[in-house]
């Protein structure tokens, strides 16, 4: 960690407040402001400064994971140059007594930082532009909980399951993307089959589109029921996106344990015959549902 590190941008020479390096590579730039001099001097001034550095010395951010803007009470992290509302807080329970401590201890924890770098940064395409996206704290936590349970491959299926409750606009599809990518690259799962299950054509297009735009490896959209069953019979390894209705009771059963199912809008499909058929076919799979509908813990 450096204090007041100078960077030569050619026409401009800039001085960063705090620059964090790993093995000599600058990964995080922290711009710190103080409200002691001017109450207008909030965290957004630090975010503006990161945007200016991007223009004046772009090589500083070639290896950047994210930037941090902070004053005495507020901390936000984000991608340099993006709008302020995309900068986020980090709120992991137990990481600190306030927003500042929680953010620093959560984001700059060595294990978390390397996990973010390796598994929780993607480049998406929106309106013809390449957009860098870094996980929010809830996406990071939920995806890692899924991976942790899926890795307990010797335990019965009743243990290897869970339900992710999310609010609208919290980035559920990105949570699924981050979890799927991390599980695919984890050698302990021995090249798993990860099945993303939706219940509408529109959702299938939306989720598969995000997987393809972020260059996610080995992603296949099941074009028909026969296509899905053929992939399962052949032991396809990678990510399959399918509509729920392609499963039927009595179909071929998959008895491998390194099969992970991520069910979108699980409250709509898992109580009836569709859910029964899916669980029949994927009889040893780890099962994880996503829902934005209020749920009862004891039901």
């Amino acid at each position: 960690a450096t204090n007041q590190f100078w960077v030569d941008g050619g026409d401009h020479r800039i001085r960063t407040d705090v620059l964090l390096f790993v093995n000599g590579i600058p990964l995080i730039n922290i711009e710190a402001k103080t409200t002691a001099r001017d109450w207008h001097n909030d965290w957004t001034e630090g975010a503006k400064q990161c945007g200016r550095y991007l223009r004046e010395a772009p090589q500083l951010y070639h290896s950047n994971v994210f930037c941090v803007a902070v004053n005495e009470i507020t901390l936000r992290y984000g991608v340099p140059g993006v709008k302020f509302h995309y900068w986020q807080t980090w709120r992991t329970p137990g990481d600190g007594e306030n927003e500042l401590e929680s953010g620093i201890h959560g984001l700059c924890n060595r294990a978390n930082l390397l996990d973010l770098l390796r598994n929780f940064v993607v480049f998406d395409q929106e309106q013809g532009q390449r957009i860098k996206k870094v996980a929010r704290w809830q996406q990071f936590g939920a995806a890692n909980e899924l991976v942790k349970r899926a890795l307990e491959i010797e335990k019965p299926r009743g243990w290897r399951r869970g339900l992710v409750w999310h609010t609208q606009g919290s980035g559920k599809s990105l949570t699924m993307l981050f979890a799927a990518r991390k599980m695919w690259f984890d050698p302990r799962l021995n090249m798993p089959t990860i099945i993303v299950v939706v219940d509408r054509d529109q959702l299938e297009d939306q989720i598969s589109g995000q997987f393809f735009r972020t260059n996610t490896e080995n992603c296949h959209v099941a074009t028909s029921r026969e296509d899905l069953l053929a992939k399962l019979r052949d032991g396809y390894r990678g990510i399959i996106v399918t509509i729920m209705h392609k499963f039927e009771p009595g179909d071929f059963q998959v008895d491998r344990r390194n099969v992970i199912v991520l069910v979108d809008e699980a409250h709509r499909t898992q109580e009836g015959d569709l859910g029964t058929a899916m669980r029949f076919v994927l009889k040893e799979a780890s099962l994880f549902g996503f829902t934005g509908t209020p749920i009862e813990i004891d039901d």
Side-chain angles (χ1 to χ4, degrees), residues 272-290:
D273 293 340
L274 292 173
T276 301
M278 186 199 80
R279 291 189 295 275
F280 174 85
V281 175
L282 307 171
K283 69 174 188 174
E284 292 293 343
S286 300
L287 303 170
F288 301 104
F290 290 76

PDB file of all heavy atoms in Angstrom, residues 272-290:
ATOM      1  N   GLY A 272     -45.037 -28.028  -7.940  1.00  0.00           N
ATOM      2  CA  GLY A 272     -45.927 -28.935  -8.667  1.00  0.00           C
ATOM      3  C   GLY A 272     -45.204 -29.991  -9.476  1.00  0.00           C
ATOM      4  O   GLY A 272     -44.067 -30.385  -9.194  1.00  0.00           O
ATOM      5  N   ASP A 273     -45.878 -30.434 -10.537  1.00  0.00           N
ATOM      6  CA  ASP A 273     -45.373 -31.538 -11.364  1.00  0.00           C
ATOM      7  C   ASP A 273     -44.070 -31.184 -12.074  1.00  0.00           C
ATOM      8  O   ASP A 273     -43.222 -32.050 -12.287  1.00  0.00           O
ATOM      9  CB  ASP A 273     -46.434 -31.936 -12.399  1.00  0.00           C
ATOM     10  CG  ASP A 273     -47.672 -32.542 -11.745  1.00  0.00           C
ATOM     11  OD1 ASP A 273     -47.553 -32.996 -10.592  1.00  0.00           O
ATOM     12  OD2 ASP A 273     -48.738 -32.554 -12.390  1.00  0.00           O
ATOM     13  N   LEU A 274     -43.923 -29.929 -12.481  1.00  0.00           N
ATOM     14  CA  LEU A 274     -42.701 -29.538 -13.190  1.00  0.00           C
ATOM     15  C   LEU A 274     -41.471 -29.742 -12.312  1.00  0.00           C
ATOM     16  O   LEU A 274     -40.448 -30.273 -12.746  1.00  0.00           O
ATOM     17  CB  LEU A 274     -42.789 -28.078 -13.640  1.00  0.00           C
ATOM     18  CG  LEU A 274     -43.808 -27.764 -14.733  1.00  0.00           C
ATOM     19  CD1 LEU A 274     -43.895 -26.244 -14.949  1.00  0.00           C
ATOM     20  CD2 LEU A 274     -43.433 -28.451 -16.042  1.00  0.00           C
ATOM     21  N   GLY A 275     -41.581 -29.312 -11.048  1.00  0.00           N
ATOM     22  CA  GLY A 275     -40.466 -29.491 -10.125  1.00  0.00           C
ATOM     23  C   GLY A 275     -40.185 -30.956  -9.845  1.00  0.00           C
ATOM     24  O   GLY A 275     -39.025 -31.380  -9.762  1.00  0.00           O
ATOM     25  N   THR A 276     -41.246 -31.747  -9.709  1.00  0.00           N
ATOM     26  CA  THR A 276     -41.084 -33.184  -9.474  1.00  0.00           C
ATOM     27  C   THR A 276     -40.357 -33.844 -10.630  1.00  0.00           C
ATOM     28  O   THR A 276     -39.452 -34.671 -10.430  1.00  0.00           O
ATOM     29  CB  THR A 276     -42.465 -33.843  -9.271  1.00  0.00           C
ATOM     30  OG1 THR A 276     -43.119 -33.225  -8.166  1.00  0.00           O
ATOM     31  CG2 THR A 276     -42.323 -35.334  -9.015  1.00  0.00           C
ATOM     32  N   ALA A 277     -40.727 -33.473 -11.857  1.00  0.00           N
ATOM     33  CA  ALA A 277     -40.081 -34.046 -13.047  1.00  0.00           C
ATOM     34  C   ALA A 277     -38.599 -33.666 -13.104  1.00  0.00           C
ATOM     35  O   ALA A 277     -37.746 -34.502 -13.393  1.00  0.00           O
ATOM     36  CB  ALA A 277     -40.807 -33.571 -14.308  1.00  0.00           C
ATOM     37  N   MET A 278     -38.297 -32.411 -12.836  1.00  0.00           N
ATOM     38  CA  MET A 278     -36.902 -31.960 -12.879  1.00  0.00           C
ATOM     39  C   MET A 278     -36.051 -32.709 -11.857  1.00  0.00           C
ATOM     40  O   MET A 278     -34.951 -33.175 -12.157  1.00  0.00           O
ATOM     41  CB  MET A 278     -36.830 -30.454 -12.618  1.00  0.00           C
ATOM     42  CG  MET A 278     -35.446 -29.866 -12.781  1.00  0.00           C
ATOM     43  SD  MET A 278     -35.266 -28.264 -11.953  1.00  0.00           S
ATOM     44  CE  MET A 278     -35.002 -28.804 -10.252  1.00  0.00           C
ATOM     45  N   ARG A 279     -36.577 -32.856 -10.643  1.00  0.00           N
ATOM     46  CA  ARG A 279     -35.802 -33.516  -9.595  1.00  0.00           C
ATOM     47  C   ARG A 279     -35.680 -35.024  -9.837  1.00  0.00           C
ATOM     48  O   ARG A 279     -34.714 -35.652  -9.384  1.00  0.00           O
ATOM     49  CB  ARG A 279     -36.418 -33.230  -8.226  1.00  0.00           C
ATOM     50  CG  ARG A 279     -36.245 -31.766  -7.807  1.00  0.00           C
ATOM     51  CD  ARG A 279     -36.650 -31.525  -6.361  1.00  0.00           C
ATOM     52  NE  ARG A 279     -38.064 -31.756  -6.128  1.00  0.00           N
ATOM     53  CZ  ARG A 279     -39.016 -30.841  -6.345  1.00  0.00           C
ATOM     54  NH1 ARG A 279     -38.688 -29.641  -6.801  1.00  0.00           N
ATOM     55  NH2 ARG A 279     -40.280 -31.119  -6.105  1.00  0.00           N
ATOM     56  N   PHE A 280     -36.639 -35.597 -10.566  1.00  0.00           N
ATOM     57  CA  PHE A 280     -36.527 -37.004 -10.953  1.00  0.00           C
ATOM     58  C   PHE A 280     -35.355 -37.193 -11.908  1.00  0.00           C
ATOM     59  O   PHE A 280     -34.549 -38.117 -11.746  1.00  0.00           O
ATOM     60  CB  PHE A 280     -37.827 -37.484 -11.604  1.00  0.00           C
ATOM     61  CG  PHE A 280     -37.744 -38.882 -12.172  1.00  0.00           C
ATOM     62  CD1 PHE A 280     -37.961 -39.987 -11.358  1.00  0.00           C
ATOM     63  CD2 PHE A 280     -37.419 -39.085 -13.512  1.00  0.00           C
ATOM     64  CE1 PHE A 280     -37.856 -41.276 -11.876  1.00  0.00           C
ATOM     65  CE2 PHE A 280     -37.310 -40.373 -14.036  1.00  0.00           C
ATOM     66  CZ  PHE A 280     -37.532 -41.465 -13.212  1.00  0.00           C
ATOM     67  N   VAL A 281     -35.275 -36.353 -12.905  1.00  0.00           N
ATOM     68  CA  VAL A 281     -34.214 -36.477 -13.912  1.00  0.00           C
ATOM     69  C   VAL A 281     -32.845 -36.198 -13.289  1.00  0.00           C
ATOM     70  O   VAL A 281     -31.870 -36.920 -13.529  1.00  0.00           O
ATOM     71  CB  VAL A 281     -34.479 -35.513 -15.091  1.00  0.00           C
ATOM     72  CG1 VAL A 281     -33.314 -35.557 -16.084  1.00  0.00           C
ATOM     73  CG2 VAL A 281     -35.785 -35.879 -15.788  1.00  0.00           C
ATOM     74  N   LEU A 282     -32.769 -35.163 -12.470  1.00  0.00           N
ATOM     75  CA  LEU A 282     -31.492 -34.738 -11.884  1.00  0.00           C
ATOM     76  C   LEU A 282     -31.427 -35.231 -10.442  1.00  0.00           C
ATOM     77  O   LEU A 282     -31.367 -34.455  -9.496  1.00  0.00           O
ATOM     78  CB  LEU A 282     -31.375 -33.213 -11.966  1.00  0.00           C
ATOM     79  CG  LEU A 282     -31.598 -32.631 -13.376  1.00  0.00           C
ATOM     80  CD1 LEU A 282     -31.674 -31.118 -13.319  1.00  0.00           C
ATOM     81  CD2 LEU A 282     -30.508 -33.092 -14.334  1.00  0.00           C
ATOM     82  N   LYS A 283     -31.396 -36.528 -10.261  1.00  0.00           N
ATOM     83  CA  LYS A 283     -31.677 -37.117  -8.949  1.00  0.00           C
ATOM     84  C   LYS A 283     -30.561 -36.912  -7.927  1.00  0.00           C
ATOM     85  O   LYS A 283     -30.808 -37.022  -6.722  1.00  0.00           O
ATOM     86  CB  LYS A 283     -31.989 -38.600  -9.094  1.00  0.00           C
ATOM     87  CG  LYS A 283     -30.815 -39.483  -9.509  1.00  0.00           C
ATOM     88  CD  LYS A 283     -31.248 -40.945  -9.465  1.00  0.00           C
ATOM     89  CE  LYS A 283     -30.072 -41.884  -9.687  1.00  0.00           C
ATOM     90  NZ  LYS A 283     -30.454 -43.291  -9.510  1.00  0.00           N
ATOM     91  N   GLU A 284     -29.336 -36.620  -8.345  1.00  0.00           N
ATOM     92  CA  GLU A 284     -28.245 -36.403  -7.392  1.00  0.00           C
ATOM     93  C   GLU A 284     -27.719 -34.972  -7.436  1.00  0.00           C
ATOM     94  O   GLU A 284     -26.689 -34.673  -6.830  1.00  0.00           O
ATOM     95  CB  GLU A 284     -27.096 -37.379  -7.673  1.00  0.00           C
ATOM     96  CG  GLU A 284     -27.420 -38.825  -7.372  1.00  0.00           C
ATOM     97  CD  GLU A 284     -27.611 -39.082  -5.884  1.00  0.00           C
ATOM     98  OE1 GLU A 284     -27.200 -38.252  -5.064  1.00  0.00           O
ATOM     99  OE2 GLU A 284     -28.195 -40.134  -5.538  1.00  0.00           O
ATOM    100  N   ALA A 285     -28.414 -34.091  -8.137  1.00  0.00           N
ATOM    101  CA  ALA A 285     -27.908 -32.735  -8.343  1.00  0.00           C
ATOM    102  C   ALA A 285     -28.021 -31.878  -7.088  1.00  0.00           C
ATOM    103  O   ALA A 285     -28.907 -32.077  -6.255  1.00  0.00           O
ATOM    104  CB  ALA A 285     -28.663 -32.065  -9.491  1.00  0.00           C
ATOM    105  N   SER A 286     -27.123 -30.892  -6.982  1.00  0.00           N
ATOM    106  CA  SER A 286     -27.284 -29.824  -5.995  1.00  0.00           C
ATOM    107  C   SER A 286     -28.326 -28.855  -6.536  1.00  0.00           C
ATOM    108  O   SER A 286     -28.299 -28.519  -7.730  1.00  0.00           O
ATOM    109  CB  SER A 286     -25.958 -29.097  -5.771  1.00  0.00           C
ATOM    110  OG  SER A 286     -24.961 -29.985  -5.307  1.00  0.00           O
ATOM    111  N   LEU A 287     -29.238 -28.400  -5.673  1.00  0.00           N
ATOM    112  CA  LEU A 287     -30.384 -27.611  -6.127  1.00  0.00           C
ATOM    113  C   LEU A 287     -30.415 -26.250  -5.431  1.00  0.00           C
ATOM    114  O   LEU A 287     -30.474 -26.193  -4.196  1.00  0.00           O
ATOM    115  CB  LEU A 287     -31.685 -28.357  -5.823  1.00  0.00           C
ATOM    116  CG  LEU A 287     -31.828 -29.760  -6.413  1.00  0.00           C
ATOM    117  CD1 LEU A 287     -33.050 -30.461  -5.834  1.00  0.00           C
ATOM    118  CD2 LEU A 287     -31.919 -29.703  -7.925  1.00  0.00           C
ATOM    119  N   PHE A 288     -30.416 -25.189  -6.225  1.00  0.00           N
ATOM    120  CA  PHE A 288     -30.449 -23.841  -5.663  1.00  0.00           C
ATOM    121  C   PHE A 288     -31.509 -23.016  -6.382  1.00  0.00           C
ATOM    122  O   PHE A 288     -31.514 -22.928  -7.614  1.00  0.00           O
ATOM    123  CB  PHE A 288     -29.080 -23.168  -5.782  1.00  0.00           C
ATOM    124  CG  PHE A 288     -27.996 -23.930  -5.078  1.00  0.00           C
ATOM    125  CD1 PHE A 288     -27.090 -24.696  -5.796  1.00  0.00           C
ATOM    126  CD2 PHE A 288     -27.908 -23.917  -3.698  1.00  0.00           C
ATOM    127  CE1 PHE A 288     -26.103 -25.422  -5.146  1.00  0.00           C
ATOM    128  CE2 PHE A 288     -26.924 -24.635  -3.032  1.00  0.00           C
ATOM    129  CZ  PHE A 288     -26.011 -25.392  -3.763  1.00  0.00           C
ATOM    130  N   GLY A 289     -32.421 -22.450  -5.608  1.00  0.00           N
ATOM    131  CA  GLY A 289     -33.492 -21.648  -6.174  1.00  0.00           C
ATOM    132  C   GLY A 289     -33.268 -20.167  -5.948  1.00  0.00           C
ATOM    133  O   GLY A 289     -32.598 -19.751  -4.992  1.00  0.00           O
ATOM    134  N   PHE A 290     -33.837 -19.357  -6.820  1.00  0.00           N
ATOM    135  CA  PHE A 290     -33.815 -17.895  -6.706  1.00  0.00           C
ATOM    136  C   PHE A 290     -35.246 -17.404  -6.732  1.00  0.00           C
ATOM    137  O   PHE A 290     -36.046 -17.860  -7.558  1.00  0.00           O
ATOM    138  CB  PHE A 290     -33.037 -17.272  -7.873  1.00  0.00           C
ATOM    139  CG  PHE A 290     -31.564 -17.514  -7.829  1.00  0.00           C
ATOM    140  CD1 PHE A 290     -31.029 -18.745  -8.172  1.00  0.00           C
ATOM    141  CD2 PHE A 290     -30.688 -16.499  -7.455  1.00  0.00           C
ATOM    142  CE1 PHE A 290     -29.664 -18.978  -8.127  1.00  0.00           C
ATOM    143  CE2 PHE A 290     -29.325 -16.715  -7.409  1.00  0.00           C
ATOM    144  CZ  PHE A 290     -28.808 -17.960  -7.749  1.00  0.00           C
TER     145      PHE A 290
END
